[in-house]
Coordinates of all heavy atoms in Angstrom, one line a residue:
D237 N 4.5 -6.7 84.0 CA 4.0 -7.9 83.4 C 2.6 -7.7 82.6 O 2.4 -8.4 81.7 CB 3.8 -9.1 84.4 CG 5.1 -9.5 85.0 OD1 6.1 -9.4 84.4 OD2 5.1 -10.1 86.2
R238 N 1.8 -6.9 83.3 CA 0.5 -6.7 82.6 C 0.2 -5.1 82.4 O 0.9 -4.3 83.0 CB -0.7 -7.1 83.5 CG -0.5 -8.5 83.9 CD -1.8 -9.0 84.6 NE -2.0 -8.1 85.8 CZ -3.1 -8.0 86.6 NH1 -4.2 -8.7 86.2 NH2 -3.1 -7.3 87.7
V239 N -0.5 -4.8 81.4 CA -0.8 -3.4 81.1 C -2.4 -3.3 81.0 O -3.0 -4.3 80.6 CB -0.2 -2.9 79.8 CG1 1.2 -2.8 79.9 CG2 -0.6 -3.8 78.5
V240 N -2.9 -2.2 81.3 CA -4.3 -1.9 81.2 C -4.7 -1.6 79.6 O -4.1 -0.9 79.0 CB -4.8 -0.8 82.0 CG1 -6.3 -0.5 81.8 CG2 -4.6 -1.1 83.5
V241 N -5.7 -2.4 79.1 CA -6.0 -2.2 77.6 C -7.5 -1.7 77.6 O -7.8 -1.1 76.6 CB -6.0 -3.5 77.0 CG1 -4.5 -4.0 76.9 CG2 -6.9 -4.6 77.6
S242 N -8.3 -1.6 78.6 CA -9.6 -1.0 78.6 C -10.1 -1.0 80.1 O -9.5 -1.5 81.0 CB -10.5 -1.8 77.8 OG -10.8 -3.1 78.4
Y243 N -11.2 -0.3 80.3 CA -11.9 -0.2 81.6 C -13.4 0.0 81.3 O -13.8 0.5 80.2 CB -11.3 0.8 82.5 CG -11.5 2.2 82.1 CD1 -12.6 2.9 82.4 CD2 -10.4 2.8 81.3 CE1 -12.7 4.3 82.0 CE2 -10.6 4.2 81.0 CZ -11.7 4.9 81.3 OH -11.8 6.2 80.9
S244 N -14.2 -0.4 82.3 CA -15.6 -0.1 82.3 C -16.1 0.5 83.5 O -15.5 0.2 84.7 CB -16.3 -1.5 82.0 OG -16.2 -2.4 82.9
F245 N -17.2 1.2 83.5 CA -17.8 1.8 84.7 C -19.2 1.6 84.7 O -20.0 1.8 83.9 CB -17.6 3.3 84.7 CG -18.0 4.0 86.0 CD1 -17.1 4.0 87.0 CD2 -19.2 4.6 86.1 CE1 -17.5 4.7 88.3 CE2 -19.5 5.3 87.1 CZ -18.7 5.3 88.3
D246 N -19.7 0.9 85.9 CA -21.0 0.6 86.2 C -21.8 1.7 86.8 O -21.5 2.1 88.0 CB -21.2 -0.7 87.0 CG -22.5 -1.3 87.0 OD1 -23.6 -0.5 87.0 OD2 -22.7 -2.5 86.9
L247 N -22.6 2.4 86.1 CA -23.3 3.5 86.7 C -24.3 3.2 87.8 O -24.8 4.0 88.6 CB -24.1 4.3 85.5 CG -23.3 5.0 84.5 CD1 -24.1 5.4 83.3 CD2 -22.4 6.1 85.1
R248 N -24.7 1.9 88.0 CA -25.6 1.4 88.9 C -24.9 1.2 90.2 O -25.4 1.5 91.4 CB -26.3 0.1 88.5 CG -27.2 0.3 87.2 CD -27.5 -1.1 86.6 NE -26.2 -1.7 86.1 CZ -26.2 -2.9 85.6 NH1 -27.4 -3.4 85.2 NH2 -25.1 -3.4 85.1
T249 N -23.7 0.8 90.1 CA -22.8 0.4 91.4 C -21.7 1.3 91.6 O -21.0 1.3 92.7 CB -22.4 -1.1 91.3 OG1 -21.5 -1.1 90.2 CG2 -23.5 -1.9 91.2
N250 N -21.5 2.2 90.6 CA -20.3 3.2 90.7 C -19.0 2.3 90.8 O -18.0 2.7 91.5 CB -20.3 4.1 91.9 CG -21.3 5.3 91.6 OD1 -21.4 5.7 90.4 ND2 -22.0 5.7 92.6
E251 N -19.0 1.3 90.2 CA -17.7 0.3 90.1 C -17.0 0.4 88.9 O -17.5 0.4 87.8 CB -18.1 -1.2 90.4 CG -17.0 -2.0 90.6 CD -17.5 -3.5 90.8 OE1 -18.6 -3.8 90.8 OE2 -16.5 -4.4 91.1
L252 N -15.6 0.7 89.0 CA -14.7 0.9 87.9 C -13.9 -0.4 87.8 O -13.3 -0.8 88.9 CB -13.9 2.1 88.1 CG -12.9 2.4 86.9 CD1 -13.6 2.9 85.8 CD2 -11.8 3.5 87.5
K253 N -13.9 -1.0 86.6 CA -13.1 -2.3 86.4 C -12.2 -2.1 85.3 O -12.6 -1.8 84.1 CB -14.2 -3.4 86.1 CG -15.0 -3.8 87.2 CD -15.9 -5.0 86.8 CE -16.7 -5.5 88.0 NZ -17.6 -6.7 87.6
P254 N -10.9 -2.3 85.5 CA -9.9 -2.3 84.5 C -9.7 -3.6 83.9 O -10.0 -4.7 84.5 CB -8.6 -1.9 85.2 CG -8.8 -2.4 86.6 CD -10.2 -2.2 86.9
E255 N -9.4 -3.7 82.6 CA -9.1 -5.0 81.9 C -7.6 -5.0 81.5 O -7.1 -4.1 81.0 CB -9.9 -5.2 80.7 CG -9.6 -6.5 79.9 CD -10.5 -6.6 78.7 OE1 -11.5 -5.8 78.5 OE2 -10.1 -7.5 77.9
F256 N -6.9 -6.1 82.0 CA -5.5 -6.3 81.8 C -5.2 -7.2 80.6 O -6.0 -8.1 80.3 CB -4.8 -6.7 83.0 CG -4.8 -5.7 84.2 CD1 -5.9 -5.7 85.0 CD2 -3.8 -4.8 84.3 CE1 -5.9 -4.7 86.1 CE2 -3.8 -3.9 85.4 CZ -4.9 -3.9 86.3
A257 N -4.1 -7.0 80.0 CA -3.4 -8.0 79.1 C -2.0 -8.0 79.2 O -1.3 -7.2 79.8 CB -3.8 -7.4 77.6
P258 N -1.4 -9.1 78.8 CA 0.0 -9.3 78.9 C 0.8 -8.2 78.2 O 0.5 -7.8 77.2 CB 0.4 -10.6 78.3 CG -1.0 -11.4 78.4 CD -2.1 -10.4 78.2
N259 N 1.8 -7.7 78.9 CA 2.6 -6.6 78.4 C 3.7 -7.2 77.4 O 4.5 -8.1 77.8 CB 3.3 -5.9 79.3 CG 4.2 -4.7 78.9 OD1 4.2 -4.5 77.7 ND2 4.9 -4.0 79.8
P260 N 3.6 -7.0 76.1 CA 4.6 -7.7 75.1 C 6.1 -7.2 75.4 O 6.9 -8.0 74.9 CB 4.1 -7.2 73.7 CG 3.4 -5.9 74.0 CD 2.7 -6.1 75.4
S261 N 6.2 -6.2 76.2 CA 7.5 -5.7 76.6 C 7.8 -6.0 78.1 O 8.7 -5.4 78.7 CB 7.7 -4.2 76.2 OG 7.5 -3.9 75.0
A262 N 7.1 -7.0 78.6 CA 7.4 -7.3 80.1 C 8.7 -7.7 80.4 O 9.5 -8.3 79.6 CB 6.5 -8.4 80.4
G263 N 9.3 -7.0 81.5 CA 10.6 -7.2 81.9 C 11.7 -6.4 81.2 O 12.8 -6.5 81.6
R264 N 11.2 -5.6 80.2 CA 12.2 -4.7 79.5 C 12.7 -3.6 80.5 O 12.0 -3.0 81.2 CB 11.7 -4.0 78.4 CG 12.6 -3.2 77.6 CD 11.9 -2.5 76.4 NE 12.8 -1.5 75.8 CZ 12.4 -0.7 74.8 NH1 11.2 -0.6 74.4 NH2 13.3 0.1 74.2
E265 N 14.1 -3.6 80.6 CA 14.8 -2.7 81.4 C 15.0 -1.3 80.8 O 15.5 -1.2 79.6 CB 16.0 -3.2 81.9 CG 15.9 -4.5 82.8 CD 17.2 -5.0 83.3 OE1 18.3 -4.6 82.7 OE2 17.2 -5.9 84.2
H266 N 14.7 -0.2 81.5 CA 15.0 1.1 81.0 C 16.0 1.8 82.0 O 15.6 2.0 83.2 CB 13.7 1.9 81.0 CG 12.7 1.4 79.9 ND1 12.7 1.9 78.5 CD2 11.8 0.5 80.1 CE1 11.7 1.3 78.0 NE2 11.1 0.4 78.8
R267 N 17.1 2.0 81.5 CA 18.2 2.5 82.5 C 18.4 4.1 82.3 O 18.3 4.5 81.2 CB 19.6 1.7 82.2 CG 19.4 0.3 82.6 CD 20.8 -0.4 82.3 NE 20.6 -1.8 82.6 CZ 20.7 -2.4 83.9 NH1 21.1 -1.5 84.8 NH2 20.6 -3.6 84.0
F268 N 18.5 4.7 83.4 CA 18.8 6.2 83.5 C 19.9 6.5 84.3 O 20.4 5.8 85.2 CB 17.5 6.8 84.0 CG 16.2 6.4 83.2 CD1 15.5 5.4 83.4 CD2 15.9 7.4 82.2 CE1 14.3 5.1 82.7 CE2 14.6 7.2 81.5 CZ 13.9 6.0 81.7
A269 N 20.4 7.7 84.0 CA 21.6 8.2 84.8 C 21.2 9.5 85.4 O 20.5 10.3 84.8 CB 22.8 8.4 83.8
A270 N 21.6 9.7 86.7 CA 21.3 10.9 87.4 C 22.6 11.9 87.5 O 23.7 11.3 87.7 CB 20.8 10.7 88.8
F271 N 22.4 13.1 87.2 CA 23.5 14.1 87.3 C 23.2 15.2 88.2 O 22.0 15.6 88.3 CB 23.7 14.6 85.9 CG 24.3 13.6 84.9 CD1 23.3 12.8 84.2 CD2 25.7 13.4 84.7 CE1 23.9 11.8 83.2 CE2 26.1 12.5 83.8 CZ 25.2 11.6 83.1
R272 N 24.2 15.9 88.6 CA 24.2 17.2 89.3 C 25.2 18.1 88.7 O 26.1 17.7 88.1 CB 24.3 17.0 90.8 CG 23.3 16.3 91.6 CD 23.4 16.6 93.1 NE 22.4 15.8 93.8 CZ 22.9 14.8 94.5 NH1 24.1 14.4 94.6 NH2 21.9 13.9 95.1
L273 N 25.0 19.5 89.0 CA 26.0 20.5 88.6 C 27.2 20.2 89.6 O 27.0 20.0 90.8 CB 25.3 21.9 88.8 CG 26.3 23.0 88.4 CD1 26.4 22.9 86.9 CD2 25.7 24.3 88.8
K274 N 28.4 20.1 89.0 CA 29.5 19.9 89.9 C 29.6 20.9 91.0 O 29.4 22.2 90.9 CB 30.8 20.1 89.1 CG 31.1 18.8 88.1 CD 32.5 19.0 87.4 CE 32.7 17.8 86.5 NZ 34.0 17.9 85.8
G275 N 29.9 20.4 92.2 CA 30.0 21.3 93.4 C 28.7 21.7 94.0 O 28.8 22.4 94.9

Side-chain angles (χ1 to χ4, degrees):
D237 294 334
R238 302 186 303 164
V239 291
V240 176
V241 293
S242 69
Y243 66 86
S244 61
F245 186 81
D246 192 323
L247 294 169
R248 297 162 296 183
T249 63
N250 284 329
E251 185 176 4
L252 182 68
K253 290 184 177 180
E255 179 183 346
F256 293 87
N259 182 3
S261 301
R264 180 182 177 186
E265 296 182 344
H266 297 267
R267 297 182 180 275
F268 300 87
F271 293 86
R272 288 201 192 101
L273 187 67
K274 283 184 178 179

